[in-house]
Coordinates of all heavy atoms in Angstrom, one line a residue:
M1 N 142.5 101.4 174.7 CA 142.7 100.1 174.2 C 144.0 99.6 174.6 O 145.0 100.3 174.8 CB 142.7 100.2 172.6 CG 142.6 98.9 172.1 SD 142.3 98.5 170.4 CE 141.7 99.5 169.3
G2 N 144.1 98.2 174.9 CA 145.3 97.6 175.4 C 146.4 97.4 174.3 O 146.2 97.8 173.1
K3 N 147.5 96.9 174.7 CA 148.6 96.6 173.8 C 148.1 95.6 172.7 O 147.5 94.6 173.1 CB 149.8 96.1 174.5 CG 151.0 95.9 173.7 CD 152.1 95.4 174.6 CE 153.3 95.0 173.7 NZ 154.4 94.5 174.5
S4 N 148.4 95.8 171.5 CA 148.1 94.8 170.4 C 148.9 93.6 170.5 O 150.1 93.7 170.9 CB 148.1 95.5 169.1 OG 149.5 95.9 168.8
I5 N 148.4 92.5 170.0 CA 149.2 91.3 169.9 C 149.1 90.8 168.4 O 148.1 91.0 167.7 CB 148.6 90.2 170.8 CG1 147.2 89.9 170.5 CG2 148.8 90.6 172.3 CD1 146.6 88.7 171.2
P6 N 150.2 90.2 168.0 CA 150.2 89.7 166.6 C 149.4 88.4 166.5 O 149.4 87.5 167.4 CB 151.6 89.4 166.3 CG 152.2 89.2 167.6 CD 151.5 90.0 168.6
L7 N 148.6 88.2 165.4 CA 147.9 87.0 165.1 C 148.4 86.5 163.8 O 148.3 87.2 162.8 CB 146.4 87.2 165.1 CG 145.7 87.6 166.4 CD1 144.2 87.9 166.1 CD2 145.9 86.6 167.4
E8 N 148.8 85.3 163.7 CA 149.2 84.7 162.4 C 148.1 83.7 162.0 O 147.8 82.8 162.7 CB 150.5 83.9 162.6 CG 151.7 84.8 162.5 CD 153.0 83.9 162.5 OE1 153.1 82.9 161.7 OE2 153.9 84.2 163.3
L9 N 147.6 83.9 160.8 CA 146.6 83.0 160.3 C 147.3 82.4 159.0 O 147.8 83.1 158.2 CB 145.3 83.7 159.9 CG 144.7 84.5 161.0 CD1 143.5 85.3 160.5 CD2 144.3 83.6 162.1
N10 N 147.2 81.0 159.0 CA 147.8 80.3 157.9 C 149.3 80.5 157.9 O 149.8 81.4 158.6 CB 147.2 80.7 156.5 CG 145.8 80.3 156.4 OD1 145.4 79.2 156.9 ND2 145.0 81.1 155.7
P11 N 150.1 79.8 157.4 CA 149.7 78.5 156.6 C 149.3 77.4 157.6 O 149.8 77.4 158.7 CB 151.0 78.2 155.9 CG 152.1 78.7 156.8 CD 151.6 79.9 157.4
A12 N 148.5 76.5 157.1 CA 148.1 75.4 157.9 C 149.4 74.5 158.1 O 150.1 74.3 157.2 CB 147.0 74.6 157.2
T13 N 149.5 74.0 159.3 CA 150.7 73.1 159.6 C 150.1 71.8 160.2 O 149.2 71.9 161.0 CB 151.6 73.8 160.6 OG1 152.1 75.0 160.0 CG2 152.8 72.9 160.9
T14 N 150.7 70.7 159.8 CA 150.3 69.4 160.4 C 151.4 69.0 161.4 O 152.6 69.0 161.0 CB 150.1 68.3 159.3 OG1 149.1 68.8 158.4 CG2 149.8 67.0 160.0
V15 N 151.0 68.7 162.6 CA 151.9 68.3 163.6 C 151.4 66.9 164.1 O 150.3 66.8 164.5 CB 152.0 69.3 164.8 CG1 152.9 68.7 165.9 CG2 152.4 70.6 164.4
E16 N 152.3 65.9 164.1 CA 151.9 64.6 164.6 C 152.5 64.3 165.9 O 153.7 64.7 166.2 CB 152.4 63.5 163.6 CG 151.7 63.6 162.2 CD 152.1 62.5 161.3 OE1 152.6 61.5 161.7 OE2 151.9 62.7 160.1
V17 N 151.8 63.7 166.8 CA 152.2 63.4 168.1 C 152.1 61.9 168.3 O 151.2 61.3 167.7 CB 151.5 64.2 169.2 CG1 151.8 65.7 169.1 CG2 150.0 63.9 169.3
D18 N 152.8 61.4 169.3 CA 152.7 59.9 169.6 C 151.5 59.6 170.3 O 151.2 60.1 171.4 CB 154.0 59.6 170.4 CG 154.1 58.1 170.7 OD1 153.1 57.3 170.6 OD2 155.2 57.7 171.1
A19 N 150.6 58.8 169.7 CA 149.3 58.4 170.4 C 149.5 57.8 171.7 O 148.7 58.0 172.6 CB 148.6 57.5 169.4
A20 N 150.6 57.1 171.9 CA 150.8 56.4 173.2 C 151.0 57.4 174.3 O 150.6 57.2 175.4 CB 152.1 55.5 173.1
V21 N 151.7 58.5 174.0 CA 151.9 59.6 175.1 C 150.6 60.2 175.5 O 150.3 60.4 176.6 CB 152.9 60.6 174.5 CG1 153.0 61.8 175.5 CG2 154.3 60.0 174.3
V22 N 149.8 60.5 174.5 CA 148.4 61.1 174.7 C 147.5 60.1 175.5 O 146.9 60.5 176.4 CB 147.8 61.6 173.4 CG1 146.4 62.2 173.8 CG2 148.7 62.6 172.8
A23 N 147.5 58.9 175.0 CA 146.6 57.9 175.6 C 147.0 57.7 177.1 O 146.1 57.6 177.9 CB 146.8 56.5 174.8
Q24 N 148.3 57.6 177.3 CA 148.7 57.4 178.7 C 148.3 58.6 179.6 O 147.8 58.4 180.7 CB 150.3 57.3 178.8 CG 150.8 57.1 180.2 CD 152.3 56.9 180.3 OE1 153.0 57.3 179.3 NE2 152.8 56.4 181.4
G25 N 148.4 59.8 179.0 CA 148.0 61.0 179.8 C 146.5 61.1 180.0 O 146.1 61.6 181.0
L26 N 145.7 60.4 179.2 CA 144.3 60.4 179.4 C 143.8 59.1 180.1 O 142.6 58.8 180.2 CB 143.6 60.5 178.0 CG 143.7 61.8 177.3 CD1 143.1 61.7 175.9 CD2 143.0 62.9 178.1
D27 N 144.8 58.3 180.5 CA 144.6 57.0 181.2 C 143.7 56.1 180.3 O 142.7 55.5 180.8 CB 143.9 57.3 182.5 CG 144.0 56.1 183.4 OD1 145.0 55.3 183.3 OD2 143.1 55.9 184.3
L28 N 144.1 56.0 179.0 CA 143.4 55.1 178.1 C 144.4 54.2 177.4 O 145.6 54.5 177.3 CB 142.8 55.9 177.0 CG 141.7 56.9 177.3 CD1 141.4 57.8 176.2 CD2 140.4 56.1 177.8
A29 N 143.9 53.0 176.9 CA 144.8 52.2 176.1 C 144.9 52.9 174.7 O 144.0 53.6 174.3 CB 144.1 50.8 175.9
V30 N 146.0 52.6 174.0 CA 146.2 53.3 172.8 C 145.1 53.0 171.8 O 144.6 53.9 171.1 CB 147.6 52.9 172.2 CG1 147.8 53.5 170.8 CG2 148.7 53.4 173.1
A31 N 144.7 51.7 171.7 CA 143.6 51.4 170.8 C 142.3 52.1 171.1 O 141.6 52.5 170.2 CB 143.4 49.8 170.8
D32 N 142.0 52.2 172.4 CA 140.8 52.9 172.8 C 140.9 54.4 172.4 O 139.9 55.0 172.0 CB 140.5 52.8 174.3 CG 140.2 51.3 174.7 OD1 139.7 50.6 173.8 OD2 140.4 51.0 175.9
F33 N 142.1 55.0 172.7 CA 142.3 56.4 172.3 C 142.1 56.6 170.8 O 141.4 57.5 170.4 CB 143.7 56.8 172.8 CG 144.1 58.2 172.2 CD1 143.5 59.3 172.7 CD2 145.0 58.3 171.2 CE1 143.8 60.6 172.1 CE2 145.4 59.5 170.7 CZ 144.8 60.6 171.1
R34 N 142.7 55.8 170.0 CA 142.5 55.9 168.6 C 141.1 55.8 168.1 O 140.6 56.5 167.3 CB 143.4 54.8 167.8 CG 144.9 55.1 167.9 CD 145.6 54.1 167.1 NE 147.0 54.2 167.2 CZ 147.8 55.1 166.5 NH1 147.2 55.9 165.7 NH2 149.1 55.1 166.7
Q35 N 140.3 54.9 168.7 CA 138.9 54.7 168.4 C 138.1 56.0 168.8 O 137.2 56.4 168.1 CB 138.3 53.5 169.0 CG 136.9 53.2 168.6 CD 136.8 52.9 167.1 OE1 137.5 52.1 166.5 NE2 136.0 53.7 166.4
L36 N 138.4 56.5 170.0 CA 137.7 57.7 170.5 C 138.0 58.9 169.6 O 137.1 59.7 169.3 CB 138.1 58.0 171.9 CG 137.5 57.0 173.0 CD1 138.2 57.1 174.3 CD2 136.0 57.2 173.1
M37 N 139.2 59.0 169.1 CA 139.6 60.0 168.2 C 138.8 59.9 166.9 O 138.2 60.8 166.4 CB 141.1 60.0 167.8 CG 142.0 60.5 168.9 SD 141.9 62.3 169.1 CE 142.5 62.9 167.5
A38 N 138.7 58.6 166.4 CA 138.0 58.4 165.1 C 136.5 58.7 165.3 O 135.9 59.1 164.3 CB 138.2 56.9 164.7
D39 N 136.0 58.4 166.5 CA 134.6 58.7 166.7 C 134.3 60.1 167.1 O 133.1 60.5 167.3 CB 134.1 57.8 167.9 CG 134.1 56.3 167.6 OD1 134.1 56.0 166.4 OD2 134.0 55.5 168.5
G40 N 135.3 61.0 167.1 CA 135.1 62.4 167.5 C 134.8 62.6 168.9 O 134.3 63.7 169.3
K41 N 135.2 61.7 169.8 CA 134.9 61.8 171.2 C 136.1 62.4 172.0 O 136.0 62.5 173.2 CB 134.5 60.5 171.8 CG 133.1 60.1 171.2 CD 132.6 58.8 171.8 CE 131.3 58.5 171.1 NZ 130.7 57.3 171.7
V42 N 137.2 62.7 171.3 CA 138.3 63.4 171.9 C 138.4 64.8 171.2 O 138.5 64.8 170.0 CB 139.6 62.6 171.8 CG1 140.8 63.4 172.3 CG2 139.6 61.3 172.5
S43 N 138.4 65.8 172.0 CA 138.6 67.2 171.4 C 140.1 67.6 171.4 O 140.8 67.2 172.4 CB 137.8 68.2 172.2 OG 136.4 67.9 172.2
V44 N 140.5 68.3 170.4 CA 141.9 68.7 170.4 C 141.9 70.2 170.1 O 141.2 70.7 169.2 CB 142.6 68.0 169.2 CG1 144.1 68.4 169.2 CG2 142.5 66.5 169.4
L45 N 142.8 70.9 170.8 CA 143.1 72.3 170.6 C 144.6 72.4 170.3 O 145.4 71.9 171.1 CB 142.7 73.2 171.8 CG 143.1 74.7 171.7 CD1 142.4 75.4 170.6 CD2 142.8 75.3 173.1
C46 N 144.9 73.0 169.2 CA 146.4 73.2 168.9 C 146.7 74.6 168.7 O 146.0 75.3 168.0 CB 146.7 72.4 167.6 SG 148.5 72.4 167.3
E47 N 147.7 75.1 169.4 CA 148.1 76.5 169.4 C 149.5 76.6 169.0 O 150.4 75.8 169.3 CB 148.0 77.1 170.8 CG 146.5 77.0 171.4 CD 146.5 77.2 172.9 OE1 146.8 76.3 173.6 OE2 146.2 78.3 173.2
R48 N 149.8 77.6 168.1 CA 151.1 77.8 167.6 C 151.9 78.9 168.4 O 151.3 79.9 168.7 CB 151.0 78.3 166.1 CG 152.3 78.5 165.5 CD 152.2 78.9 164.0 NE 150.9 79.4 163.7 CZ 150.4 79.5 162.5 NH1 151.0 79.1 161.5 NH2 149.2 80.0 162.3
G49 N 153.1 78.6 168.8 CA 153.9 79.5 169.6 C 154.4 80.7 168.8 O 154.7 80.5 167.6
V50 N 154.5 81.8 169.4 CA 155.1 83.0 168.8 C 156.2 83.5 169.7 O 156.3 83.1 170.9 CB 154.0 84.1 168.6 CG1 152.9 83.6 167.6 CG2 153.4 84.5 169.9
G51 N 157.0 84.5 169.2 CA 158.1 85.0 170.0 C 159.1 84.0 170.4 O 159.5 83.2 169.5
E52 N 159.4 83.9 171.7 CA 160.4 82.9 172.1 C 159.9 81.5 172.0 O 160.7 80.6 172.0 CB 160.8 83.2 173.6 CG 159.7 83.0 174.6 CD 160.2 83.3 176.0 OE1 160.8 84.4 176.2 OE2 159.8 82.5 176.9
D53 N 158.6 81.3 171.8 CA 158.0 79.9 171.6 C 157.8 79.6 170.1 O 157.2 78.6 169.8 CB 156.7 79.8 172.3 CG 156.9 79.8 173.8 OD1 157.9 79.3 174.3 OD2 156.1 80.4 174.5
H54 N 158.3 80.5 169.2 CA 158.2 80.2 167.8 C 158.8 78.8 167.4 O 159.8 78.5 167.9 CB 158.9 81.3 167.0 CG 158.8 81.1 165.5 ND1 157.7 81.4 164.8 CD2 159.7 80.5 164.6 CE1 157.9 81.1 163.5 NE2 159.1 80.6 163.4
G55 N 158.0 78.1 166.6 CA 158.5 76.7 166.3 C 157.9 75.7 167.2 O 158.1 74.5 166.9
L56 N 157.3 76.1 168.3 CA 156.6 75.1 169.2 C 155.1 75.2 169.0 O 154.6 76.2 168.6 CB 157.0 75.4 170.6 CG 158.5 75.2 171.0 CD1 158.7 75.6 172.4 CD2 159.0 73.8 170.7
Y57 N 154.5 74.1 169.3 CA 153.0 74.0 169.3 C 152.5 73.4 170.6 O 153.2 72.5 171.2 CB 152.6 73.1 168.1 CG 153.0 73.6 166.8 CD1 154.3 73.3 166.3 CD2 152.2 74.5 166.1 CE1 154.8 73.8 165.1 CE2 152.7 75.0 164.9 CZ 153.9 74.7 164.4 OH 154.4 75.2 163.2
R58 N 151.4 73.9 171.1 CA 150.8 73.3 172.3 C 149.5 72.6 171.9 O 148.6 73.2 171.4 CB 150.5 74.4 173.3 CG 149.9 73.8 174.6 CD 149.9 74.8 175.7 NE 149.1 76.0 175.3 CZ 149.1 77.1 176.0 NH1 149.9 77.3 177.0 NH2 148.3 78.1 175.6
A59 N 149.5 71.3 172.0 CA 148.4 70.5 171.6 C 147.7 70.0 172.9 O 148.4 69.3 173.7 CB 148.8 69.3 170.8
T60 N 146.4 70.3 173.1 CA 145.7 69.9 174.2 C 144.6 68.9 173.8 O 143.8 69.3 172.9 CB 145.1 71.1 175.0 OG1 146.1 72.1 175.2 CG2 144.5 70.7 176.3
F61 N 144.5 67.8 174.4 CA 143.5 66.8 174.1 C 142.6 66.6 175.3 O 143.0 66.6 176.5 CB 144.2 65.4 173.9 CG 145.1 65.4 172.7 CD1 146.4 65.9 172.8 CD2 144.7 64.9 171.5 CE1 147.2 65.9 171.7 CE2 145.5 64.9 170.4 CZ 146.8 65.4 170.5
Y62 N 141.3 66.6 175.1 CA 140.3 66.5 176.1 C 139.4 65.3 175.9 O 138.9 65.1 174.8 CB 139.3 67.8 176.0 CG 140.0 69.1 176.2 CD1 140.5 69.8 175.1 CD2 140.2 69.7 177.4 CE1 141.1 71.0 175.2 CE2 140.9 70.9 177.6 CZ 141.3 71.6 176.5 OH 141.9 72.8 176.6
H63 N 139.1 64.6 177.0 CA 138.2 63.5 176.9 C 137.6 63.2 178.3 O 138.4 63.0 179.3 CB 138.9 62.2 176.4 CG 138.0 61.0 176.5 ND1 136.8 60.9 175.8 CD2 138.0 59.9 177.3 CE1 136.2 59.7 176.1 NE2 136.9 59.1 177.0
D64 N 136.3 63.2 178.4 CA 135.6 62.7 179.6 C 136.1 63.4 180.9 O 136.4 62.8 181.9 CB 135.8 61.2 179.8 CG 134.8 60.6 180.7 OD1 133.7 61.2 180.9 OD2 135.1 59.6 181.3
G65 N 136.3 64.7 180.8 CA 136.7 65.5 181.9 C 138.2 65.5 182.2 O 138.7 66.1 183.1
N66 N 139.0 64.8 181.4 CA 140.4 64.7 181.5 C 141.1 65.5 180.4 O 140.5 65.7 179.3 CB 140.9 63.3 181.4 CG 140.4 62.5 182.6 OD1 140.4 62.9 183.7 ND2 139.9 61.3 182.3
R67 N 142.3 66.0 180.7 CA 143.1 66.8 179.7 C 144.5 66.4 179.8 O 145.1 66.1 180.8 CB 142.9 68.2 180.1 CG 143.8 69.2 179.3 CD 143.8 70.6 179.8 NE 144.6 70.7 181.0 CZ 144.8 71.8 181.7 NH1 144.0 72.8 181.5 NH2 145.6 71.8 182.7
V68 N 145.1 66.3 178.6 CA 146.6 66.2 178.5 C 147.1 67.2 177.5 O 146.5 67.4 176.5 CB 147.0 64.7 178.1 CG1 146.6 64.4 176.7 CG2 148.5 64.6 178.2
R69 N 148.1 67.9 177.9 CA 148.7 69.0 177.0 C 150.1 68.7 176.8 O 150.9 68.5 177.7 CB 148.5 70.3 177.8 CG 149.0 71.5 177.0 CD 148.7 72.8 177.7 NE 147.3 73.1 177.6 CZ 146.6 73.8 178.4 NH1 147.2 74.4 179.5 NH2 145.3 74.0 178.2
L70 N 150.5 68.7 175.5 CA 151.9 68.5 175.1 C 152.4 69.8 174.4 O 151.7 70.4 173.6 CB 152.0 67.4 174.0 CG 151.4 66.0 174.4 CD1 151.5 65.0 173.3 CD2 152.1 65.5 175.6
V71 N 153.6 70.1 174.7 CA 154.3 71.1 173.9 C 155.3 70.4 173.0 O 156.1 69.6 173.4 CB 155.1 72.1 174.8 CG1 155.9 73.1 174.0 CG2 154.1 72.8 175.8
V72 N 155.1 70.6 171.7 CA 155.8 69.8 170.7 C 156.4 70.7 169.6 O 156.0 71.9 169.5 CB 154.9 68.8 170.0 CG1 154.3 67.8 170.9 CG2 153.8 69.4 169.2
D73 N 157.4 70.2 168.9 CA 158.0 70.9 167.8 C 157.3 70.5 166.5 O 156.5 69.6 166.5 CB 159.5 70.8 167.8 CG 160.1 69.5 167.5 OD1 159.3 68.6 167.0 OD2 161.2 69.2 167.8
A74 N 157.7 71.0 165.4 CA 157.1 70.7 164.1 C 157.3 69.3 163.7 O 156.5 68.7 162.9 CB 157.6 71.6 163.0
D75 N 158.3 68.6 164.3 CA 158.6 67.2 164.0 C 157.8 66.2 164.9 O 157.9 65.0 164.8 CB 160.1 66.9 164.1 CG 160.9 67.6 163.0 OD1 160.3 67.8 161.9 OD2 162.0 68.0 163.3
G76 N 157.0 66.8 165.9 CA 156.3 66.0 166.8 C 157.0 65.5 168.0 O 156.5 64.7 168.8
N77 N 158.2 66.1 168.2 CA 159.0 65.7 169.4 C 158.4 66.5 170.6 O 158.4 67.8 170.5 CB 160.5 66.1 169.2 CG 161.1 65.4 168.1 OD1 161.0 64.1 168.0 ND2 161.7 66.1 167.1
W78 N 158.0 65.9 171.6 CA 157.4 66.6 172.7 C 158.5 67.1 173.6 O 159.4 66.4 174.0 CB 156.3 65.8 173.4 CG 156.6 64.5 173.9 CD1 156.7 63.3 173.2 CD2 156.9 64.1 175.2 NE1 157.0 62.3 174.0 CE2 157.2 62.7 175.2 CE3 157.0 64.8 176.4 CZ2 157.5 62.0 176.4 CZ3 157.3 64.1 177.6 CH2 157.6 62.8 177.6
A79 N 158.3 68.4 174.0 CA 159.2 69.0 174.9 C 158.8 68.9 176.3 O 159.7 68.7 177.2 CB 159.3 70.5 174.5
R80 N 157.5 68.9 176.6 CA 157.1 68.7 178.0 C 155.6 68.5 178.0 O 154.9 68.8 177.1 CB 157.4 70.0 178.8 CG 156.7 71.2 178.4 CD 157.1 72.4 179.3 NE 156.6 73.6 178.9 CZ 157.1 74.5 178.0 NH1 158.2 74.2 177.5 NH2 156.4 75.6 177.7
V81 N 155.1 67.9 179.1 CA 153.7 67.6 179.2 C 153.2 68.5 180.4 O 153.9 68.6 181.4 CB 153.5 66.1 179.6 CG1 152.0 65.8 179.9 CG2 154.0 65.2 178.6
C82 N 152.1 69.1 180.1 CA 151.5 70.0 181.1 C 150.3 69.3 181.6 O 149.6 68.6 180.9 CB 151.2 71.4 180.5 SG 152.5 72.1 179.6
G83 N 149.9 69.6 182.9 CA 148.8 69.0 183.5 C 147.5 69.6 183.1 O 147.2 70.4 182.3

């Protein structure tokens, strides 16, 4: 068996990001992005950092074959955008 890794479940954390940053990364107008989110046509994966990345979150938004990934802190300040 390989080396074990820690998994943290709960507490639930809410992280807010700037819709304009995500919309731009998906090449959408902000209003269109918000509507697509409301319609459930944008998928989101949010991962919590551990170890040296503790306190950071990686939020990945997917729409129509496009992806934008933000690394953000708990206050929603984005540290970097990944392709």
